[in-house]
Amino acid sequence: MNLCDLALGKRRRIVFFTGAGISAESGIPTYRGKGGLWHQYNYEEYACQLAFDRNPEKVWDFHEERRAFVARCTPAEGHRIIADIEKHIPGTTVITQNIDGMHQRAGSRNVIELHGSMWRVRCDCNMGVRENNDVPLRSRQCDCGAYLRPDIVWFDDPLDTEVIERAMRAVQTCDLLITIGTSAMVFPAAQIPLIAMQRKVPTIEINPEKTGLTPYYTVFLKGTAGAMLNRLWAHASWTTP
Ligand code: OAD
């Protein structure tokens, strides 16, 4: 199957499954590989509930630094092309592992955040989950006195059931899945493309490097997110639904 056969414009329910690689072009470091966040920081000290319980201020210092950094970045070409595709094909869904909010800032509306968002905080009291874009935070404490927690999925945290169900519904009904910039090493997120593959739906992987799942995709586009999405965009011949 070549790219013309996969023409985006004929599809009605595209799922984009994205990882840190798409935001690398916004200047946000990935997690693994050269310059990856987990090479500089031990996740056991910064990205798990135990670390937070041990030293919430240290975890918040790290997290706030990342919020401030991401706030200074802007969406990249890849984020923008996906948002444009959603305008042409309203059945488009983004399932992202990223917590940076870049897809929404680029204009995507139908975004499922598997690993939560750095722009939300939560507390176990009845405050629940709240959007919070303050940089810096006005307070790290909830009105109830407890520490607010970033509403992100840390190592060993379960995924939110409702979120995973939404993602499953999208991938079980999509007619094309395009994976961009993920090492496919974190489960259960990495299972998302497998579901489309089992359904024999065409699947495309965009990545400068091969991953463990590369052999199973219909098409592997070796390259960076913006450049490869541009290539797909150029092959899109739009048809009216
Ligand atoms: P990784 O850092 O594991 O992988 C990033 C992927 O992006 C690699 O496969 C790179 O080859 C690829 N990449 C790099 N630059 C790219 C570019 N310009 N265009 C396209 N691809 C590029 O990031 P994720 O797979 O997203 O979890 O990591 C998954 C999860 O692990 C994250 O959501 C995070 C982390 O621990 C949580 O924070 C819960």
Side-chain angles (χ1 to χ4, degrees):
M1 193 178 277
N2 64 30
L3 281 184
C4 292
D5 295 327
L6 287 169
L8 293 181
K10 294 196 183 106
R11 308 285 164 184
R12 291 291 157 258
R13 299 190 61 83
I14 302 175
V15 164
F16 288 95
F17 175 56
T18 66
I22 193 165
S23 293
E25 292 174 7
S26 293
I28 302 171
T30 59
Y31 294 96
R32 297 167 187 82
K34 205 168 157 237
L37 204 65
W38 300 146
H39 292 300
Q40 291 173 58
Y41 296 92
N42 179 357
Y43 76 85
E44 288 173 332
E45 285 180 48
Y46 298 99
C48 66
Q49 184 65 48
L50 274 178
F52 188 69
D53 293 341
R54 238 181 354 246
N55 193 342
E57 288 292 335
K58 179 176 168 178
V59 172
W60 264 119
D61 285 347
F62 166 75
H63 193 64
E64 284 220 63
E65 208 177 291
R66 288 194 70 207
R67 280 167 61 110
F69 182 84
V70 170
R72 291 194 297 272
C73 296
T74 49
E77 188 180 21
H79 300 111
R80 286 194 295 270
I81 292 178
I82 292 175
D84 278 347
I85 290 171
E86 188 184 342
K87 284 190 196 117
H88 282 84
I89 306 173
T92 298
T93 303
V94 177
I95 303 176
T96 189
Q97 297 166 86
N98 300 343
I99 59 171
D100 56 29
M102 283 295 171
H103 285 296
Q104 292 92 329
R105 279 172 64 186
S108 286
R109 298 164 71 95
N110 193 12
V111 182
I112 300 171
E113 294 173 309
L114 283 183
H115 292 161
S117 169
M118 58 162 59
W119 304 113
R120 292 194 303 264
V121 293
R122 68 171 197 248
C123 182
D124 288 338
C125 76
N126 56 12
M127 183 208 98
V129 178
R130 231 177 246 176
E131 196 174 311
N132 185 314
N133 296 298
D134 298 344
V135 175
L137 274 181
R138 257 171 274 163
S139 170
R140 293 175 177 185
Q141 265 97 29
C142 176
D143 292 344
C144 75
Y147 268 99
L148 292 167
R149 212 206 100 142
D151 188 33
I152 57 181
V153 176
W154 278 328
F155 285 88
D156 298 330
D157 283 351
L159 262 60
D160 183 299
T161 326
E162 238 173 79
V163 172
I164 195 91
E165 278 170 12
R166 278 181 64 208
M168 289 300 167
R169 271 198 299 278
V171 77
Q172 274 159 359
T173 54
C174 69
D175 54 12
L176 174 66
L177 177 133
I178 303 178
T179 296
I180 306 164
T182 175
S183 58
M185 285 170 66
V186 173
F187 283 84
Q191 273 163 340
I192 295 285
L194 301 182
I195 297 164
M197 290 166 187
Q198 278 161 1
R199 292 184 48 234
K200 311 265 186 250
V201 166
T203 52
I204 301 175
E205 183 182 44
I206 296 177
N207 200 311
E209 313 283 340
K210 287 188 176 174
T211 69
L213 295 185
T214 301
Y216 308 105
Y217 280 91
T218 318
V219 172
F220 173 55
L221 293 179
K222 183 174 166 61
T224 54
M228 292 299 119
L229 278 168
N230 235 323
R231 214 174 126 193
L232 282 178
W233 187 239
H235 281 82
S237 51
W238 302 108
T239 55
T240 320

